[in-house]
Amino acid sequence: MEKTVKIMLSAFIMLLVHASLPSTISSADNPPDFFYVYLKWPGSQCATKEGCCLKKTPKPARDFIITGFQPYYFNGTWPENCDPASHLDVSKISHLRTRLEAHWPSLTCPGSNPEKLWSDAWKKYGTCSKPTLKNQQEYFRQALAVRKSANLLKILGDAGIRPDGSSYPRDTISDTIIGGGLSLPGLSCSTDKDGNMQLDQVILCTGSDAKTFTECPGNGFGCLGDVKFPHF
Ligand SMILES: *[C@@H]1O[C@H](CO)[C@@H](O)[C@H](O)[C@H]1NC(C)=O
């Protein structure tokens, strides 16, 4: 009896888990409507209780880094793992390696190989970015290009919002990003060792071209009050 209940319960939980997961959709039939671009301030990771582990050489750039480039649909679902047979072949992106190490590094401890990050990103989202981004080279090259063209650190710096350990009103950060020609951002915050709210990630969107910044549904969320912008 007890066993039956357990089995039924686990079946029910499985059902719940599956209901909340996006279905795996053939990307060839469904080109993404837009892309989320996740840009993280590395200094904030380092200021958390968990801290950061950085490679000494090459060091990550002192700039926002990429943590995700994700295809998405307007109906609120997203495709994942569109081609389980496709694995990242690092030899195919060797020409991008220096830039990926600077701008898409691993920060978490214990220090891990960034190749794991890149290959997970390729499997989960890169394989679903077709036909907009045709292959591994295009997926990573475009992620780097979008990060660069966002020019976030410069846009914020020009408005006096600098990673100098000061705090800035959340809405000032958001308005500055819009004023700089980017879309309405999502912001995410974390807490530093002393309990201060700090800027963790800026979430932007591009259109279906994976290039032009556009406003995406649901952005504008995240962080409250004054937000610290720590040194890196
Ligand atoms: C959302 O849109 C995609 C692409 O058009 C489609 O394949 C998918 O079935 C839709 N999902 C839902 C739940 O409507």
Side-chain angles (χ1 to χ4, degrees), residues 25 30 73 75 77:
I25 299 157
N30 302 291
Y73 299 125
N75 64 17
T77 70

Side-chain angles (χ1 to χ4, degrees), residues 66-231:
I66 303 162
T67 50
F69 191 34
Q70 181 185 4
Y72 225 88
Y73 299 125
F74 286 138
N75 64 17
T77 70
W78 63 93
E80 271 185 23
N81 302 317
C82 296
D83 184 359
S86 172
H87 298 274
L88 179 67
D89 175 356
V90 283
S91 71
K92 287 200 180 132
I93 56 164
S94 57
H95 58 299
L96 301 173
R97 190 176 182 102
T98 311
R99 284 197 283 152
L100 284 170
E101 283 182 331
H103 302 299
W104 196 332
S106 164
L107 299 180
T108 49
C109 296
S112 64
N113 191 336
E115 280 175 19
K116 168 94 169 65
L117 287 183
W118 307 335
S119 92
D120 289 350
W122 168 253
K123 284 197 86 66
K124 200 165 176 186
Y125 297 129
T127 55
C128 301
S129 302
K130 292 175 195 170
T132 317
L133 303 168
K134 286 182 199 62
N135 52 39
Q136 308 185 352
Q137 294 93 306
E138 282 199 13
Y139 178 72
F140 288 101
R141 192 180 58 211
Q142 198 55 29
L144 288 164
V146 165
R147 192 212 69 88
K148 193 174 180 192
S149 78
N151 214 2
L152 206 47
L153 193 62
K154 168 91 163 59
I155 288 173
L156 293 169
D158 285 351
I161 301 171
R162 300 202 174 85
D164 56 5
S166 323
S167 291
Y168 304 89
R170 179 244 174 256
D171 289 345
T172 308
I173 297 174
S174 180
D175 292 347
T176 302
I177 291 169
I178 298 167
L182 303 175
S183 50
L184 175 69
L187 302 178
S188 85
C189 278
S190 60
T191 311
D192 73 5
K193 289 185 205 81
D194 303 320
N196 300 306
M197 172 120 52
Q198 58 175 358
L199 183 62
D200 180 45
Q201 296 199 79
V202 173
I203 300 138
L204 298 169
C205 289
T206 70
S208 60
D209 61 359
K211 193 190 281 179
T212 318
F213 291 102
T214 49
E215 188 164 331
C216 57
N219 247 358
F221 56 81
C223 303
L224 280 175
D226 288 339
V227 173
K228 195 168 168 178
F229 199 2
H231 292 276

